Amino acid sequence: MTDPSTTPGAGMTRRCFMKLMGFSAAAAAMPKYVSANASLRRPNILFIMADDHTSQAIGCYRLRLSEYARTKNIDRIAAEGALLKNCFCTNSICVPSRASILTGQYSHINGAKTLRGKLDPAVDNVAKRLQREGYETAIVGKWHLKETPAGFDYYNVLRGQGRYNNPILYELGKDFKKGGKEHQGHSTDVITDLSLDWLKNRKASDKPFCLMCHFKAVHEPFFSHDRYRSLYAETEFPEPEDLFWPESPKGKRFEGWPLEILAERYRKRGDRYAPPRLEAADDDPRSIRKAAYQKFMRDFLSTVAGIDDNVGRLLAYLDETGRTRDTVVIYTSDQGYFLGEHNMFDKRFMLEESLRMPFVIRYPREIRPGTTVSDIVLNIDFAELFLDYAGATIPKTMQGRSFRQNLQGETPDDWRDAMYYHYWSHSNPRPSHYGIRTERYKLIYYYGLVQMGRKPKECWELYDLRNDPHERINQYDNPEHRDTIATLKRRLEQLRRQYKDTEDPLRTQ
Ligand code: CA
């Protein structure tokens, strides 16, 4: 087998070029975070992404349900590499986050603002650029971007949400609208089987690869393989403290999606989804909420266990074929998810559980085992990280930044200390909004209340994450924070200008 670490192409970054040229003087000036030798190597990239898997349900994150999560393989990636504590999506919903990951751009730039969005095959993306740099590229699993995937030497994808059991996938070379093939089994197993098949039978094995393995799991209806069904049969999961608060966050002006919606869906789905303990709930709203929460957690974490076992199969393949050292492995999810916090499920909001993406990464040549990164990293940064590893030129049209250096424990002096978020998909009662998050504060502007016919037609929320990490008290009307709010509003406008999102969002929806 040929070593995948080939010489960088003509598109190498200036930094890599300097390192290649670096003898004594340049070597002295060389950043210590990466060795000259490492810059000659171009790692394989295995990008594993789940759908709606949230950090509270991953062991290594040590959050609310971490001790219940069966995620030893995901935890292994973090233990042998780095865990990002503050990785955030820029628009917390499937289609937009996937488009931002591929393009390195905010939703208003790449055009995929809502679930109706799509990714035009003509648009530049990271896969196309890696292909041009000599990578063999593939994507297997959930695509969700409507149009034919572009930039991939191989694809075999679910076009929409796809099915959990016996999913239909669309393969390169077949008709993308009609040429689907049904595969027997649970989607997480099938997607891993197809990913491993591609790895084992690669046509261009002399090239480094970039494989995107995108699970459909753990998206609602959180449907696990039968072998995991009894995993949590006897488990009583701890409830979030604010599951029964009449209002959480205190001071919110809209309902969000409470667990009663999920309970109603369970009922409508019939026996197959019948929650064993929901029937005992009678008509008492409190017991319905309790029972729905317990079933939700059982289903969610059983489905996660299936993901983790399959992550283990991918890691084992790298070990067995001697590729572990030369492969960057990432596990992430397209956004976070509420697991009953604020009595909500689903995502969309800029609140922490939905905003935070789990992100663990391993690359033995550069990342020290057990690294924790607290810097603010965004989904628009992933493309630039990949291009950095590939030694490729990073296009000015991408709006993120490579965090390769941060992963080696060195934060660049001018690294961002605030992030900009914009959720466009107005969905009553979940209004569109944008906002800013710094290390300590979060300021959110809900402009979508007008679309709900509400008065007042807009509202603001301010959270002090240091004193209120679970965002239970909106401090916007607290006079003590007047100066902070004024500063954050100025910075928010700066970020909107920086990312070219200055038009009235109600007019450009
Ligand atoms: Ca999602």
Side-chain angles (χ1 to χ4, degrees):
M1 200 199 77
T2 313
D3 188 336
S5 44
T6 50
T7 310
M12 76 182 78
T13 60
R14 185 174 172 276
R15 202 174 67 198
C16 290
F17 178 71
M18 290 303 286
K19 265 173 241 149
L20 280 176
M21 297 298 289
F23 297 105
S24 55
M30 188 187 298
K32 63 182 173 186
Y33 61 87
V34 62
S35 73
N37 198 28
S39 74
L40 288 167
R41 294 179 179 277
R42 299 199 305 163
N44 302 307
I45 299 167
L46 172 57
F47 180 78
I48 311 168
M49 183 160 74
D51 195 350
D52 294 0
H53 191 186
T54 186
S55 43
Q56 307 97 286
I58 297 182
C60 57
Y61 270 86
R62 296 181 188 165
L63 293 170
R64 196 170 61 79
L65 293 160
S66 289
E67 63 181 288
Y68 296 86
R70 228 191 68 173
T71 54
K72 68 173 196 279
N73 294 295
I74 297 167
D75 299 345
R76 178 188 164 195
I77 299 173
E80 296 176 0
L83 178 147
L84 271 59
K85 287 176 75 175
N86 291 313
C87 180
F88 302 123
C89 60
T90 47
N91 182 359
S92 178
I93 192 150
C94 303
V95 170
S97 183
R98 287 157 199 272
S100 286
I101 287 167
L102 284 165
T103 60
Q105 295 172 332
Y106 271 89
S107 306
H108 59 278
I109 302 289
N110 65 36
K113 293 176 185 171
T114 70
L115 282 176
R116 295 190 303 274
K118 52 180 84 167
L119 189 64
D120 184 338
V123 164
D124 190 20
N125 73 40
V126 67
K128 290 183 181 185
R129 290 196 170 251
L130 289 171
Q131 219 175 20
R132 281 209 291 276
E133 295 294 328
Y135 272 70
E136 191 178 25
T137 58
I139 182 165
V140 179
K142 189 167 178 182
W143 170 245
H144 214 185
L145 293 168
K146 318 270 193 314
E147 303 294 335
T148 309
F152 297 97
D153 295 300
Y154 171 78
Y155 66 74
N156 208 349
V157 296
L158 303 167
R159 275 181 44 215
Q161 293 290 1
R163 296 200 300 237
Y164 264 113
N165 269 344
N166 304 334
I168 296 171
L169 285 98
Y170 296 76
E171 189 177 352
L172 179 80
K174 311 270 170 61
D175 185 320
F176 191 61
K177 305 284 177 194
K178 297 183 201 139
K181 182 184 165 193
E182 185 177 288
H183 294 258
Q184 297 301 306
H186 187 276
S187 75
T188 308
D189 299 337
V190 167
I191 288 164
T192 309
D193 290 345
L194 292 170
S195 297
L196 288 169
D197 284 349
W198 180 77
L199 284 170
K200 289 172 185 166
N201 301 305
R202 286 209 300 135
K203 293 192 183 74
S205 57
D206 56 325
K207 293 180 174 180
F209 68 79
C210 174
L211 168 62
M212 297 183 158
C213 173
H214 290 188
F215 296 122
K216 169 196 171 44
V218 57
H219 194 284
E220 195 195 354
F222 329 115
F223 193 70
S224 64
H225 188 282
D226 286 343
R227 64 182 181 266
Y228 303 108
R229 290 291 168 83
S230 59
L231 202 54
Y232 296 102
E234 302 304 319
T235 309
E236 193 79 23
F237 295 97
E239 293 164 350
E241 203 180 315
D242 54 353
L243 186 64
F244 295 102
W245 289 19
E247 193 181 60
S248 175
K250 193 171 181 298
K252 76 173 180 181
R253 304 248 165 87
F254 44 84
E255 298 76 25
W257 262 17
L259 291 194
E260 282 69 16
I261 292 181
L262 193 56
E264 186 56 29
R265 289 182 181 183
Y266 286 148
R267 258 193 290 274
K268 280 188 181 159
R269 279 171 202 153
D271 288 340
R272 194 173 163 205
Y273 294 102
R277 291 174 208 186
L278 198 55
E279 283 133 37
D282 300 315
D283 293 325
D284 170 30
R286 193 178 166 94
S287 13
I288 288 175
R289 193 180 295 181
K290 255 180 162 358
Y293 170 77
Q294 292 296 332
K295 175 174 168 51
F296 175 22
M297 291 307 95
R298 278 198 300 279
D299 292 354
F300 194 94
L301 287 162
S302 315
T303 310
V304 165
I307 293 177
D308 190 71
D309 281 344
N310 279 289
V311 169
R313 292 174 64 205
L314 293 164
L315 296 181
Y317 173 78
L318 296 178
D319 290 341
E320 288 156 12
T321 55
R323 288 181 171 88
T324 296
R325 205 166 157 68
D326 286 312
T327 303
V328 173
V329 180
I330 291 163
Y331 180 82
T332 186
S333 167
D334 57 349
Q335 7 71 205
Y337 209 79
F338 296 106
L339 298 179
E341 297 89 359
H342 311 293
N343 183 29
M344 280 203 274
F345 73 110
D346 208 64
K347 53 262 182 178
R348 300 168 186 257
F349 289 104
M350 197 188 167
L351 298 173
E352 291 290 271
E353 293 83 0
S354 152
L355 179 69
R356 174 169 293 108
M357 304 169 86
F359 193 102
V360 294
I361 178 169
R362 182 183 76 185
Y363 181 30
R365 288 199 187 278
E366 287 189 18
I367 304 171
R368 277 187 296 276
T371 299
T372 301
V373 177
S374 299
D375 304 327
I376 296 176
V377 170
L378 305 177
N379 58 353
I380 57 168
D381 298 329
F382 300 177
E384 297 196 25
L385 178 73
F386 296 175
L387 294 179
D388 194 353
Y389 280 133
T393 306
I394 292 170
K396 288 195 171 65
T397 47
M398 288 187 175
Q399 296 182 299
R401 186 170 175 185
S402 168
F403 49 104
R404 185 177 181 176
Q405 187 175 340
N406 311 58
L407 293 170
Q408 294 176 59
E410 293 192 20
T411 306
D413 291 340
D414 58 348
W415 192 255
R416 69 169 73 85
D417 60 0
M419 63 85 60
Y420 175 61
Y421 178 86
H422 194 161
Y423 166 75
W424 294 80
S425 329
H426 172 73
S427 163
N428 196 6
R430 299 174 297 185
S432 39
H433 54 282
Y434 60 78
I436 177 173
R437 186 200 191 281
T438 64
E439 184 210 346
R440 176 161 180 190
Y441 293 105
K442 187 184 292 177
L443 181 74
I444 313 173
Y445 174 51
Y446 294 91
Y447 61 86
L449 271 70
V450 66
Q451 294 160 293
M452 293 158 62
R454 296 284 175 92
K455 285 182 182 169
K457 59 185 183 182
E458 57 184 34
C459 70
W460 293 81
E461 289 176 3
L462 174 76
Y463 296 102
D464 178 349
L465 300 169
R466 187 180 299 167
N467 295 312
D468 179 24
H470 302 295
E471 300 169 311
R472 287 174 181 152
I473 303 165
N474 175 11
Q475 298 278 2
Y476 187 75
D477 294 325
N478 182 346
E480 281 177 27
H481 290 296
R482 202 172 296 149
D483 292 346
T484 302
I485 289 168
T487 306
L488 287 168
K489 283 186 175 177
R490 275 196 301 276
R491 298 215 49 208
L492 177 58
E493 286 313 307
Q494 281 167 5
L495 288 174
R496 284 173 60 75
R497 283 195 296 275
Q498 178 187 331
Y499 292 116
K500 302 184 170 57
D501 189 15
T502 50
E503 289 181 44
D504 177 355
L506 289 172
R507 299 177 64 141
T508 57
Q509 196 91 355

